[in-house]
Amino acid sequence: MEFLAHKPLWAGRLSRWPEDSAVVDMGISGFKPSFLVGIEAVRQAHGSRLATLAGRPLTGHALVRFVEDGDWFADCPVVLDFDGLQVEACHSKLDELSIGWNTIDTATAIAGWEWSELTPRWSQGDERLEPFVGQELREVALLEWRPAGRDLAAGTLAVEFAFAEGCLRIVNGLDENRIDIGPAQPDYIRHRLGR
């Protein structure tokens, strides 16, 4: 299996994912990631559909958190609902990005974690995302990390959602997702979609 060779995903708190498990979906109902590498591959596969989100309000969001301590499990996809059109973004390794559309069922319990001391559960609460709920999306862009100096993360992608009152980005946090709010760092090259 692809993820079994990709052990760094399960480092730290989850260093013992069972070898006989279907690690690809992480127990998430409907999650079938299709990881792409590079700006052109992601733009070609998802650019036009991402652009059609402009004009829709953000009506909800979901992240996977552990019941025991409330920590965000950043390896799982970030789900954003734009008035019934659900975007599911998930970064992996240093350069992979999967974007799904209306496939994940966040109302279904995450399964297959009996081996773990931690219990993952979908959560609709996040202080970074809450201020954007109800706001209309103005624009979506893909951001490509291109620093002037040598950087292991060069070429990684972020998906930026621009609203009237700010921006949020789902960023490659070096083998997991990261959520950034506010202006993007200047080392990003912005690739606007739908223009």
Side-chain angles (χ1 to χ4, degrees):
M1 281 186 224
E2 180 183 335
F3 273 50
L4 291 179
H6 180 222
K7 281 301 188 186
L9 178 68
W10 308 105
R13 298 177 74 180
L14 299 175
S15 60
R16 292 197 53 233
W17 189 270
E19 295 299 323
D20 60 347
S21 296
V23 180
V24 173
D25 65 13
M26 292 184 257
I28 296 172
S29 177
F31 183 47
K32 302 289 184 247
S34 177
F35 289 104
L36 300 172
V37 175
I39 184 69
E40 290 309 318
V42 174
R43 183 172 24 207
Q44 183 175 7
H46 300 288
S48 60
R49 195 158 186 196
L50 284 167
T52 66
L53 294 173
R56 289 175 167 266
L58 179 66
T59 52
H61 54 79
L63 303 174
V64 174
R65 294 187 182 278
F66 293 118
V67 172
E68 290 75 12
D69 56 16
D71 282 353
W72 174 34
F73 182 30
D75 289 342
C76 291
V78 175
V79 178
L80 301 176
D81 189 328
F82 290 94
D83 198 25
L85 187 53
Q86 184 172 280
V87 182
E88 306 144 358
C90 191
H91 288 90
S92 180
K93 301 183 183 177
L94 293 179
D95 56 0
E96 294 183 352
L97 172 60
S98 175
I99 297 176
W101 300 91
N102 291 331
T103 62
I104 295 174
D105 182 359
T106 61
T108 300
I110 298 170
W113 284 70
E114 296 77 15
W115 59 273
S116 177
E117 298 171 359
L118 300 170
T119 310
R121 182 177 295 161
W122 285 106
S123 170
Q124 283 71 38
D126 188 84
E127 66 278 354
R128 296 160 297 185
L129 300 176
E130 287 300 326
F132 297 100
V133 174
Q135 287 194 49
E136 184 178 295
L137 183 65
R138 289 190 164 181
E139 182 180 56
V140 182
L142 294 173
L143 305 184
E144 183 180 16
W145 182 252
R146 288 292 174 196
R150 183 166 147 62
D151 189 332
L152 184 63
T156 60
L157 299 178
V159 185
E160 180 179 68
F161 300 91
F163 299 87
E165 297 179 28
C167 291
L168 74 88
R169 282 172 303 288
I170 303 170
V171 176
N172 186 318
L174 301 181
D175 199 27
E176 64 182 12
N177 298 297
R178 192 177 80 223
I179 297 172
D180 287 351
I181 304 298
Q185 294 182 21
D187 287 327
Y188 276 116
I189 297 172
R190 177 172 278 104
H191 301 269
R192 288 189 166 90
L193 302 174
R195 300 227 178 225

